[in-house]
Amino acid sequence: MKIEVGKYAGFCGGVNLCISKLEDILKNNKDVYCIGDVVHNNEVVNHFKEEGLIVIDSLDELENGANLVIRAHGAVKELYEECEKRNIKVFDLTCPKVLSIRNLVTDYLNDESFIVLIAQKEHPESLSTISFCGSNSTIIEDESEIEQLIKKLKKYKNILVIGQTTFSEEKYIKYSNMIKAGLDNNVVIKNTICNATSIRQKETLEMSKNKDCMIIIGGAKSSNTHKLYDIAVSNCKNTYIIETAKDLNIDEISRFKNVGIMAGASTPKSSINEVIELLK
């Protein structure tokens, strides 16, 4: 069996930074909390739970003055404001790419402007980003929403189109161009898809064209991992999405001769290596 592993498989820069900072935070502070998974990977989350990170469901579970980690996806604006009121110490591990979008929208927070976020509507990053975009903003996820959106946008002088950092770049470009084509307004398109996401998607596309099997490794909740699966399966019907090597049916995989491996942005190197060893 020939095995090819994507050059850009695994941790992106934002996740690396988040994990490195969290290690230090846990060493130097007691009773550190996080609302939800710090990144969308169970292996990473379980590791940090063992290191002492306490995962909770909401801010209501915290006492005033507690230590709270903001995960890599970011948090809604209202949470930051509530933490300040309650003297909760915030360690913000939001990905720098996500933070940069907040700075980008500043000039469009007025009555004459409207911000369109192309994204998964229920993804934590999307909910965080849109909370900083003011009342003149919306999230669209599907092409079918664009026609009605264009009708709504005609009365605004300026339109800003941005995207969830891990959204499909192909879809983002298509949707944003459709919006621009349908309006006479001053439409500004800012491709905020993370460069690491874009590179990983392109590499997956090329790799999947010449493989008889593709294995995509990543957390079940990971948006960017599922995008990689969608790209791979469009070229290689024998594409499998797994969290760890334990999820592989080795009898089924062993019939393939040319296997490609790609992993999401929050997939640890150890998970990738375990799959490689199992295949070997």
Side-chain angles (χ1 to χ4, degrees):
M1 179 186 288
K2 183 180 178 182
I3 302 168
E4 180 183 357
V5 183
K7 293 178 182 178
Y8 298 96
F11 285 169
C12 64
V15 171
N16 257 325
L17 184 63
C18 170
I19 286 173
S20 175
K21 287 184 175 181
L22 185 53
E23 295 279 8
D24 290 337
I25 291 166
L26 291 173
K27 285 178 184 176
N28 297 305
N29 298 273
K30 291 183 179 180
D31 299 329
V32 178
Y33 296 84
C34 181
I35 300 173
D37 297 343
V38 66
V39 297
H40 279 161
N41 185 279
N42 286 329
E43 299 291 299
V44 175
V45 170
N46 290 336
H47 163 74
F48 281 116
K49 283 181 177 179
E50 291 173 2
E51 294 293 311
L53 183 66
I54 305 165
V55 179
I56 57 176
D57 294 322
S58 75
L59 203 58
D60 295 336
E61 299 176 52
L62 283 187
E63 295 181 359
N64 292 358
N67 297 316
L68 178 68
V69 163
I70 302 295
R71 56 186 177 170
H73 298 108
V76 296
K77 186 178 181 181
E78 293 76 16
L79 184 138
Y80 289 95
E81 293 168 350
E82 185 63 23
C83 285
E84 188 172 356
K85 287 179 186 176
R86 293 176 51 189
N87 197 33
I88 291 172
K89 186 176 181 180
V90 171
F91 298 93
D92 198 345
L93 303 185
T94 304
C95 172
K97 298 284 186 182
V98 177
L99 290 174
S100 68
I101 299 175
R102 295 180 193 172
N103 297 327
L104 186 62
V105 305
T106 304
D107 294 338
Y108 291 81
L109 300 178
N110 57 70
D111 292 339
E112 295 185 329
S113 302
F114 198 96
I115 300 167
V116 179
L117 173 61
I118 299 175
Q120 288 175 285
K121 292 183 179 180
E122 298 303 318
H123 193 278
E125 180 197 320
S126 307
L127 298 174
S128 170
T129 298
I130 203 69
S131 72
F132 287 88
C133 292
S135 57
N136 289 346
S137 64
T138 193
I139 304 176
I140 66 161
E141 185 173 351
D142 191 78
E143 184 178 338
S144 61
E145 302 172 80
I146 296 176
E147 185 178 348
Q148 281 298 115
L149 175 66
I150 288 172
K151 293 177 182 178
K152 180 179 180 179
L153 296 181
K154 287 185 181 295
K155 67 178 182 178
Y156 292 96
K157 185 177 179 181
N158 302 300
I159 311 295
L160 174 67
V161 183
I162 54 178
Q164 175 187 339
T165 60
T166 55
F167 199 73
S168 163
E169 185 170 38
E170 181 183 4
K171 287 183 180 179
Y172 175 79
I173 292 171
K174 180 181 180 181
Y175 297 176
S176 57
N177 285 338
M178 287 175 68
I179 293 169
K180 190 173 182 69
L183 292 166
D184 296 325
N185 313 58
N186 181 19
V187 180
V188 175
I189 298 172
K190 294 289 186 180
N191 188 341
T192 53
I193 309 297
C194 175
N195 187 50
T197 296
S198 176
I199 291 172
R200 194 180 281 104
Q201 289 179 0
K202 289 173 183 175
E203 186 178 23
T204 302
L205 177 64
E206 293 306 313
M207 188 187 298
S208 62
K209 289 177 181 178
N210 55 30
K211 299 290 183 290
D212 54 6
C213 174
M214 286 287 294
I215 298 172
I216 311 297
I217 311 168
K221 298 177 185 177
S222 170
S223 167
N224 72 88
T225 299
H226 284 280
K227 298 296 186 304
L228 298 178
Y229 172 80
D230 291 342
I231 291 168
V233 78
S234 67
N235 291 306
C236 178
K237 65 178 182 179
N238 300 310
T239 296
Y240 303 84
I241 184 168
I242 62 171
E243 286 199 76
T244 68
K246 295 175 184 176
D247 300 323
L248 271 183
N249 181 335
I250 199 62
D251 290 333
E252 186 174 350
I253 298 295
S254 62
R255 63 192 173 96
F256 300 112
K257 303 298 182 185
N258 194 358
V259 178
I261 296 175
M262 182 53 77
S266 53
T267 304
K269 192 75 173 177
S270 58
S271 294
I272 301 171
N273 288 339
E274 286 171 5
V275 171
I276 295 169
E277 289 305 311
L278 181 62
L279 295 181
K280 286 181 177 179

